[in-house]
Amino acid sequence: MGSKERYHWLAQNVKVSGVDDMVLLSKISEDAITENLKRRYLDDYIYTYIGPVLISVNPFKQLPYFTEREVELYQGAAQYENPPHIYALADNMYRNMMIDTENQCVIISGESGAGKTVAAKYIMSYVSKVSGGGDKVQHMKDIILQSNPLLEAFGNAKTVRNNNSSRFGKYFEIQFSRGGAPDGGKISNFLLEKSRVVSQNPGERSFHIYYQVLEGASSEQRENLGVTTPDYYFYLNQSGTYTVEDMDDKKEFLDTMEAMSVEAMSVVGLSLEDQDCLSEAMSVPVSLHVSLPVFLSPCLSSCLPACLPVSLPVFLSPCLSSCLPACLPACLPPCLSPCLPPCLSPVLAFPSFLLGVPQDGLCSKLTSRMIDSKWGGKSESIAVTMSTEQACFSRDALSKALHTRLFDFLVDCVNKAIQKDQEDFNIGVLDIYGFEIFQRNGFEQFCINFVNEKLQQIFIELTLKAEQDEYVQEGIQWTPIEYFNNKVVCDLIESKLNPVGLMSVLDDVCATMHAKGEGADQTLLQKLQGQMGSHEHFSSWSQGFIIHHYAGKVSYDVSGFCERNRDVLFNDIIELMQSSEFPFIRALFTENLEVEKRGRPSTASTKIKKQSTSLVQTLMKCTPHYIRCIKPNETKRPRDWEDNRARHQVEYLGLRENIRIRRAGYAYRRAFNKFLQRYAILTKETWPRWTEKERQGVLHLLNSVHMDQDQFQLGKTKVFIKAPESLFLLEEMRERKYNGYARVIQKAWRKHIAVRKYVKMREEASDILLNKKERRRNSINRNFVGDYLGTENHPEIRQFVGRRERIDFADVVVKFDRRFRTVKRDLILTPKFLYLIGREKVKQGPEKGQIQEVLKRKIELNKIQSVSLSLEFKVKKGGWGPFSSSGSRQIQFQDSQGDEAVLKPSGKVLQVSIGPGLPKNSRPTRKDQRKSRYLGNQTASTNQSNSAHRSRGAGAPRGGSSSRGSLLRQQSSMDQPSLPRLQSQRRHDNQPKKHQDMGFMNVPEQGAAGLQRRRSKEVKPLPGAGRPKPAPKAKPRSPQCRALYAYDAQDTDELSFTADDVMEILTEDASGWWFGRLRGREGMFPGNYVEKI
């Protein structure tokens, strides 16, 4: 992959693959769209835009574009700044939720195997990464992480189109606090394909959990559950497929069992009692789903009266068939009885034991049912023996019910752990199975395709139809664009009015059907042909009917439609489960049978209609975003592109119409009040509130940013902006405004924190020397600046320090040589090194004679053992002659007056005279009373300080804009920062504004003063009333000093002088370095070399 693995779009000379946004295509056709997607797909660009809609092509491989670097790249960035990516859509959703305070949702649609589930995972992963942290947030993420393998094990399966197909719809809502942190969630599951438990198409598997148990169970678990290989079981051996490519069932079983462990269930939020019940009974439904069909089928076959010999091999396993008499009578007793062959008794023993119900009761409820009969005002219950077909459906209904209720139980457990009582904002992610066309399409495919038809209708209503209708309602000039509206197909399926829809006809047939479902299916087909035969989107064939969906024609086999739509679990079986000795099994069957007996039982089609209607209502309450997933091939291999399949998806997804409307329409529309609320900060007139008409405020904002008139239109209640670039301009200006205000807040806060930090450091530094040495008044109360050299403004000094090395302290120190002559050094202290920087004259080269900085010493801090003051030190021999002798030098301290030290060298002795200091137990006496406030005259004071002369004080940056001494004095006079009080400064927006008279702003009347001014223009008196001009005042004399010793300048900003030279003193500093003027040149000089005159 090369550079693509790092950042393919940031690499140099990157290959251009089509266009990022297909609105920019030169030619709009299905072929041009398909070709553009193909070029990008083959170059591993799987995402493409159509305005705000994201097109995603399944690469069938893992791409390296979903790392932490991409999260950082797309966080807070505008859509046009980076190439198309699902992170950009997720970031847009999150930011819009926070800014507009509106719920968001993303609708992910496409065929089965197009990559919808993976896209949903990427969105949830991105939102969880950028939305903050904390213990509560991490707890919610742990719940999602632990529950995901559990839900996939019980809800996903292999189909001919997808190896890990979601066989249930999932709408996951991430709930956020007002601050944008995820603190809750909710999972809504729709239409679990429970028929997959009992039957699958060729080449497919049942739910993953069954194969995981059979492959990964330990020997002890196998013995306890009585499980064996999958080809032994009738529910699993119908399709002949037991394994999945690139999927390890044994490893997946370990992940599932880990998710069902006590630790994981504690994360999910189950109580200890529920954990015990779940760990005790979790294996029951799994084992039952696998074992029950095998053990019940022989039992049912042998005890049903209408059993034919040819049907026995279907129901009997080989080992059981051999145990039955060869001449099985045609009329076996209808239920199990004591005369049942002994070899069939173990068949029901295991299921009844695992369910916690009596064996004879389970056999009786599966082979017969109780019917209430009323005659002459009396009612009685009659036991009716089921036919073979009815018994099979009863057996399958129990298996499907157990699996469905267990799945719902797991979803409820997750919801209880993450759902919160009060909902502020949420982002919803809809991941539902895609449109399916198989070789044989039954009732389940009919329901799945109906839900996808409803989702397509939402997309059409909100992107194609609603957009054009909005232009007409708002009075925007618009030329209508034709498109296919699939509402006619939705009405064909779900309409309750005349003509009634297919589901209504199906419910009517189910309400009147009797024992056998085969005749009811044919009755359904006849009624559909009679009532819908003339519909253009409906046709029939010998075994079923055809519906012309938005994604193409689908042939449905009507066999089993009525029975699966009834989906009846008889009350006798429910009562039996409610009598189980296991609390977990009883908790799965909580129906009130007395209430349900009165009404007409609901059908599967009624339930799916209610669920789809509820889903649509939930989505319509949110601001929708769309991801259209495309499946490039049926081989499930990377870099394999089938033109016909891709073009078909492009066509039925309506991408061409979507591009045409985006190009002709407006990329952005917003209500006036929402627009003003979002962009009011751009001008002073609109911030914080616009008081006039909203339309005028919007127009004022657009004119203030100089937007062209042809780039927007104002409707009746909304503003429409044509090009995305114009919107990006508004967003960028808005971000700059907020960044500016954020910097002001950050500045005040950092100032507050820094002052607190350095005040504390000053006190700690004072404690170090407490009771150990005398202190000077200017030292004990001095603020700690740190960098007294101002190294940020002096790269010639900074060059010796590492680029990322922090400078903790920097100042000028004085070094004494063997003759006690002073040499200045710049001392820089970092966490690792101590630097001493001096200056030397360049001896050769083009810069000969110039002074430049030289690194004298670089000492590692960990090698410095101690720092002490030496009163005597040895020196080496300095040269030849009688005066250049080696030996030692001494320093003597003498009591004097004042806080400034006076140094007088005399031969080998240096006398230091200084007054007494403060007592050893002295502490800082100055109280810091500085406050965090914005200084309005900060600019003026800065300019004044820039023009002032420098002083070599302890607080001035070397060569900076202010002297060291003045910086210290400035800091000591500043107020200590503190946070402002919000209560006193909070605005009361809900109070009515008082009308303020602004008349005082007008120009005042001139009055008598004006009359006098007019007269003064006419008569001009002599200046000074004729008196002579006074002599100018004498200029104040600057203090002067006389040099006691000669001094050679060591730096460019110093003065050189000889003894008895007289200099003007411009500034005196307590550090000992004064600022003066000599022969017209200004510079610094040591104060102990001179005396005042």
Side-chain angles (χ1 to χ4, degrees):
M1 293 289 292
S3 62
K4 284 187 178 182
E5 295 184 358
R6 298 188 301 273
Y7 265 135
H8 64 290
W9 50 78
L10 297 181
Q12 297 293 330
N13 302 322
V14 67
K15 180 180 178 181
V16 178
S17 298
V19 295
D20 290 347
D21 194 333
M22 290 194 288
V23 175
L24 305 177
L25 283 175
S26 57
K27 183 180 180 181
I28 305 176
S29 64
E30 276 83 4
D31 291 337
I33 298 172
T34 305
E35 182 63 26
N36 185 72
L37 293 175
K38 177 181 179 181
R39 291 176 59 185
R40 295 179 61 79
Y41 169 76
L42 294 178
D43 288 333
D44 290 338
Y45 295 82
I46 63 173
Y47 295 118
T48 311
Y49 289 135
I50 299 180
V53 179
L54 181 68
I55 311 300
S56 173
V57 183
N58 191 348
F60 290 107
K61 64 179 180 179
Q62 185 64 40
L63 294 175
Y65 310 144
F66 305 95
T67 64
E68 295 294 335
R69 297 184 65 187
E70 279 77 18
V71 173
E72 181 181 354
L73 181 68
Y74 282 91
Q75 185 176 2
Q79 178 176 315
Y80 71 96
E81 294 182 11
N82 300 306
H85 202 286
I86 195 171
Y87 285 172
L89 181 139
D91 186 75
N92 188 32
M93 280 198 305
Y94 180 72
R95 287 199 297 163
N96 286 348
M97 178 194 70
M98 296 303 301
I99 295 173
D100 299 333
T101 63
E102 294 179 353
N103 294 337
Q104 310 286 314
C105 71
V106 55
I107 301 175
I108 309 174
S109 58
E111 290 187 0
S112 178
K116 299 182 297 300
T117 300
V118 175
K121 290 180 180 178
Y122 282 141
I123 290 177
M124 290 188 288
S125 172
Y126 178 86
V127 171
S128 65
K129 289 178 181 178
V130 302
S131 55
D135 295 338
K136 190 172 183 180
V137 175
Q138 188 60 42
H139 175 69
M140 196 196 75
K141 294 178 182 178
D142 291 340
I143 293 173
I144 299 174
L145 183 65
Q146 296 286 358
S147 64
N148 191 57
L150 201 59
L151 297 181
E152 284 197 357
F154 283 86
N156 288 24
K158 169 185 166 48
T159 67
V160 294
R161 293 181 176 270
N162 188 359
N163 289 341
N164 189 29
S165 177
S166 299
R167 307 316 298 166
F168 68 102
K170 179 174 65 176
Y171 183 65
F172 189 90
E173 296 176 77
I174 307 176
Q175 299 170 344
F176 296 86
S177 64
R178 289 282 177 180
D183 57 355
K186 179 183 177 183
I187 299 177
S188 302
N189 60 308
F190 302 94
L191 191 67
L192 177 69
E193 189 190 15
K194 52 188 176 183
S195 63
R196 185 167 291 272
V197 175
V198 298
S199 64
Q200 309 88 36
N201 290 329
E204 298 186 354
R205 295 202 318 177
S206 184
F207 293 103
H208 292 323
I209 185 64
Y210 303 126
Y211 308 91
Q212 293 177 8
V213 170
L214 298 180
E215 184 68 25
S218 63
S219 56
E220 182 181 357
Q221 290 173 328
R222 288 176 177 275
E223 182 178 355
N224 293 336
L225 301 178
V227 297
T228 179
T229 57
D231 57 348
Y232 179 78
Y233 304 104
F234 176 68
Y235 275 2
L236 303 182
N237 61 20
Q238 300 174 63
S239 64
T241 302
Y242 308 110
T243 60
V244 180
E245 185 180 0
D246 299 331
M247 182 177 291
D248 187 352
D249 289 322
K250 187 173 183 179
K251 179 180 179 300
E252 297 291 335
F253 176 72
L254 296 177
D255 294 339
T256 304
M257 293 304 295
E258 182 180 355
M260 290 192 294
S261 64
V262 176
E263 292 80 4
M265 289 297 104
S266 299
V267 174
V268 171
L270 287 179
S271 63
L272 292 177
E273 295 181 0
D274 291 338
Q275 291 177 25
D276 294 339
C277 294
L278 184 60
S279 59
E280 177 182 348
M282 182 62 75
S283 61
V284 174
V286 177
S287 176
L288 177 66
H289 297 299
V290 179
S291 306
L292 183 60
V294 178
F295 298 130
L296 289 183
S297 297
C299 171
L300 293 173
S301 303
S302 61
C303 65
L304 294 178
C307 246
L308 297 176
V310 293
S311 65
L312 285 177
V314 179
F315 294 94
L316 295 177
S317 58
C319 62
L320 294 174
S321 300
S322 60
C323 298
L324 291 177
C327 53
L328 188 66
C331 297
L332 207 63
C335 60
L336 289 178
S337 60
C339 61
L340 190 68
C343 60
L344 291 182
S345 298
V347 173
L348 289 178
F350 233 110
S352 59
F353 167 74
L354 295 175
L355 286 172
V357 296
Q359 178 179 345
D360 55 348
L362 180 60
C363 180
S364 173
K365 300 302 181 183
L366 289 175
T367 58
S368 64
R369 56 174 298 203
M370 302 298 296
I371 297 180
D372 294 334
S373 175
K374 293 184 179 181
W375 181 261
K378 297 182 180 180
S379 60
E380 59 178 338
S381 298
I382 303 174
V384 178
T385 302
M386 298 183 188
S387 64
T388 305
E389 184 183 31
Q390 290 175 331
C392 290
F393 278 120
S394 178
R395 171 202 64 189
D396 295 345
L398 177 58
S399 298
K400 291 186 292 184
L402 283 167
H403 187 94
T404 303
R405 295 175 187 229
L406 176 60
F407 186 80
D408 292 338
F409 171 79
L410 296 175
V411 173
D412 290 339
C413 289
V414 178
N415 284 335
K416 289 178 181 178
I418 63 179
Q419 194 170 9
K420 62 178 184 178
D421 299 332
Q422 183 179 0
E423 180 179 322
D424 295 322
F425 307 121
N426 70 70
I427 291 179
V429 181
L430 177 62
D431 175 23
I432 202 165
Y433 27 55
F435 194 88
E436 293 182 343
I437 304 177
F438 295 133
Q439 183 176 2
R440 181 190 179 278
N441 301 287
F443 180 74
E444 288 73 23
Q445 280 67 45
F446 172 74
C447 294
I448 290 172
N449 293 341
F450 164 68
V451 174
N452 280 270
E453 200 79 49
K454 294 287 289 185
L455 295 180
Q456 175 69 5
Q457 187 184 7
I458 293 178
F459 180 79
I460 291 175
E461 286 287 339
L462 297 181
T463 60
L464 303 180
K465 183 178 184 299
E467 185 166 349
Q468 299 195 73
D469 291 346
E470 190 175 40
Y471 294 148
V472 176
Q473 295 172 3
E474 292 288 330
I476 303 298
Q477 297 179 1
W478 177 254
T479 302
I481 294 176
E482 296 296 330
Y483 61 92
F484 169 68
N485 191 342
N486 72 327
K487 187 176 184 301
V488 61
V489 182
C490 294
D491 292 341
L492 169 68
I493 298 175
E494 66 173 346
S495 176
K496 295 182 179 180
L497 304 176
N498 199 11
V500 294
L502 193 150
M503 285 186 172
S504 298
V505 176
L506 177 60
D507 288 344
D508 290 339
V509 174
C510 291
T512 58
M513 66 181 290
H514 297 288
K516 291 193 175 183
E518 183 178 353
D521 293 334
Q522 293 301 319
T523 303
L524 170 65
L525 184 57
Q526 293 174 3
K527 285 193 173 185
L528 292 178
Q529 292 172 347
Q531 296 189 19
M532 303 177 181
S534 59
H535 200 287
E536 61 178 342
H537 292 277
F538 177 88
S539 57
S540 61
W541 59 297
S542 59
Q543 298 180 8
F545 58 90
I546 300 173
I547 293 181
H548 297 237
H549 289 283
Y550 76 97
K553 296 192 298 184
V554 181
S555 301
Y556 295 102
D557 189 344
V558 78
S559 176
F561 252 68
C562 293
E563 197 64 48
R564 290 178 177 177
N565 182 52
R566 285 179 63 189
D567 194 28
V568 176
L569 182 63
F570 294 127
N571 293 342
D572 297 352
I573 298 179
I574 296 177
E575 289 178 349
L576 179 65
M577 296 298 108
Q578 290 178 346
S579 65
S580 171
E581 64 183 29
F582 296 121
F584 181 79
I585 297 296
R586 296 198 301 268
L588 296 180
F589 296 85
T590 57
E591 291 90 339
N592 189 342
L593 299 180
E594 295 298 327
V595 176
E596 295 190 2
K597 287 180 180 180
R598 303 171 188 169
R600 179 177 173 179
S602 60
T603 60
S605 61
T606 302
K607 294 177 182 177
I608 192 58
K609 276 197 297 184
K610 289 181 179 179
Q611 288 182 335
S612 62
T613 302
S614 174
L615 175 62
V616 170
Q617 291 175 351
T618 302
L619 296 177
M620 296 295 280
K621 294 178 182 177
C622 306
T623 301
H625 304 262
Y626 305 95
I627 299 178
R628 311 290 267 174
C629 296
I630 291 180
K631 188 177 183 180
N633 58 67
E634 284 294 343
T635 61
K636 308 183 186 110
R637 293 182 303 182
R639 301 186 63 80
D640 186 10
W641 182 270
E642 299 177 10
D643 283 326
N644 292 334
R645 173 164 296 281
R647 186 182 297 107
H648 175 64
Q649 296 174 75
V650 167
E651 181 178 353
Y652 74 67
L653 288 175
L655 301 187
R656 181 172 64 90
E657 291 80 4
N658 196 3
I659 294 174
R660 291 180 60 195
I661 291 179
R662 296 302 304 181
R663 290 182 65 166
Y666 294 84
Y668 177 83
R669 75 286 318 275
R670 205 67 169 168
F672 289 154
N673 59 341
K674 290 284 186 180
F675 186 85
L676 278 172
Q677 178 184 354
R678 188 176 181 95
Y679 300 109
I681 197 173
L682 296 182
T683 65
K684 295 181 179 178
E685 293 80 6
T686 54
W687 180 262
R689 180 175 290 114
W690 178 261
T691 56
E692 300 179 16
K693 292 184 178 180
E694 294 176 344
R695 182 186 181 92
Q696 297 300 324
V698 172
L699 189 60
H700 171 77
L701 279 173
L702 296 175
N703 292 334
S704 67
V705 298
H706 307 291
M707 188 177 293
D708 296 336
Q709 294 292 331
D710 59 348
Q711 289 297 313
F712 68 90
Q713 281 197 49
L714 298 183
K716 298 177 181 178
T717 61
K718 294 183 179 181
V719 57
F720 295 81
I721 298 178
K722 193 173 187 65
E725 292 77 11
S726 301
L727 177 64
F728 299 151
L729 171 66
L730 289 171
E731 287 291 327
E732 185 173 351
M733 295 179 68
R734 178 180 178 273
E735 289 294 331
R736 288 181 179 178
K737 284 284 186 181
Y738 274 106
N739 285 342
Y741 290 131
R743 290 175 186 271
V744 173
I745 298 173
Q746 288 177 352
K747 183 178 180 180
W749 174 251
R750 288 173 179 171
K751 178 182 176 183
H752 168 73
I753 294 298
V755 169
R756 290 179 56 186
K757 173 184 175 182
Y758 288 116
V759 167
K760 183 179 179 181
M761 288 176 62
R762 187 184 65 196
E763 295 175 353
E764 292 176 350
S766 174
D767 293 340
I768 293 176
L769 302 176
L770 187 65
N771 295 322
K772 294 182 180 179
K773 69 182 293 290
E774 295 180 357
R775 302 297 304 275
R776 294 292 162 187
R777 193 178 308 278
N778 64 335
S779 172
I780 197 170
N781 284 326
R782 182 175 60 183
N783 283 332
F784 178 76
V785 176
D787 184 4
Y788 295 93
L789 297 178
T791 56
E792 292 183 355
N793 299 323
H794 290 277
E796 67 275 8
I797 301 176
R798 181 78 194 192
Q799 64 177 331
F800 301 106
V801 184
R803 178 174 297 180
R804 299 184 181 275
E805 203 167 355
R806 187 183 75 249
I807 295 178
D808 293 331
F809 178 79
D811 198 4
V812 176
V813 296
V814 179
K815 177 180 180 295
F816 294 90
D817 62 6
R818 62 177 61 88
R819 297 182 181 179
F820 296 114
R821 290 186 302 183
T822 58
V823 180
K824 291 190 303 181
R825 294 284 187 265
D826 290 337
L827 183 145
I828 299 179
L829 182 66
T830 69
K832 294 182 179 180
F833 297 99
L834 175 69
Y835 300 87
L836 288 175
I837 301 172
R839 284 152 183 82
E840 295 179 355
K841 288 185 179 181
V842 181
K843 297 182 179 180
Q844 58 184 0
E847 299 180 353
K848 182 179 180 180
Q850 297 183 9
I851 297 177
Q852 73 176 22
E853 289 72 11
V854 179
L855 180 63
K856 293 294 186 179
R857 296 194 68 180
K858 180 180 179 181
I859 309 172
E860 295 184 18
L861 279 186
N862 55 10
K863 293 183 178 180
I864 300 178
Q865 297 180 354
S866 62
V867 178
S868 61
L869 176 64
S870 301
L871 300 180
E872 182 178 358
F873 60 95
K874 295 182 179 181
V875 297
K876 296 180 180 179
K877 187 174 182 180
W880 302 99
F883 300 102
S884 58
S885 60
S886 60
S888 61
R889 302 291 186 266
Q890 295 181 356
I891 303 175
Q892 296 179 358
F893 288 88
Q894 296 180 353
D895 292 336
S896 180
Q897 299 295 325
D899 290 336
E900 298 181 6
V902 179
L903 283 70
K904 292 184 179 181
S906 176
K908 297 183 179 182
V909 178
L910 175 65
Q911 294 182 356
V912 181
S913 301
I914 191 169
L918 298 176
K920 294 182 179 181
N921 59 353
S922 298
R923 289 182 177 273
T925 58
R926 180 171 56 83
K927 300 294 184 181
D928 286 284
Q929 297 177 350
R930 292 175 284 186
K931 303 294 179 183
S932 294
R933 67 172 182 268
Y934 176 76
L935 301 179
N937 58 350
Q938 184 177 0
T939 305
S941 63
T942 304
N943 294 335
Q944 294 174 5
S945 63
N946 288 339
S947 61
H949 296 296
R950 292 182 307 151
S951 164
R952 184 56 65 94
R958 187 181 184 94
S961 60
S962 61
S963 65
R964 295 172 187 168
S966 62
L967 180 59
L968 279 178
R969 287 190 293 273
Q970 180 184 0
Q971 288 206 356
S972 62
S973 63
M974 292 171 61
D975 295 329
Q976 179 180 359
S978 62
L979 291 178
R981 296 183 178 180
L982 297 178
Q983 289 80 1
S984 60
Q985 298 180 5
R986 183 173 299 156
R987 295 190 52 181
H988 300 280
D989 294 335
N990 54 356
Q991 295 181 356
K993 278 193 172 182
K994 296 181 179 180
H995 179 70
Q996 188 173 0
D997 186 8
M998 303 298 292
F1000 67 92
M1001 297 293 293
N1002 299 330
V1003 178
E1005 297 181 3
Q1006 297 184 3
L1011 181 60
Q1012 291 181 2
R1013 283 193 296 271
R1014 286 194 298 272
R1015 290 176 179 176
S1016 66
K1017 294 179 181 178
E1018 300 173 358
V1019 181
K1020 296 184 179 180
L1022 293 175
R1027 292 189 298 270
K1029 184 177 181 181
K1033 294 182 179 180
K1035 294 183 178 179
R1037 183 180 177 183
S1038 301
Q1040 295 180 335
C1041 62
R1042 178 182 291 106
L1044 299 176
Y1045 316 102
Y1047 178 74
D1048 292 333
Q1050 303 294 320
D1051 206 343
T1052 55
D1053 58 350
E1054 296 179 0
L1055 293 177
S1056 297
F1057 51 83
T1058 59
D1060 297 328
D1061 282 347
V1062 178
M1063 294 172 287
E1064 290 184 56
I1065 302 175
L1066 301 180
T1067 307
E1068 297 182 40
D1069 196 274
S1071 63
W1073 285 91
W1074 295 359
F1075 192 82
R1077 183 186 296 116
L1078 176 63
R1079 291 186 285 274
R1081 186 174 182 273
E1082 296 179 357
M1084 294 183 177
F1085 59 90
N1088 55 355
Y1089 274 54
V1090 299
E1091 63 178 358
K1092 289 185 178 181
I1093 300 176

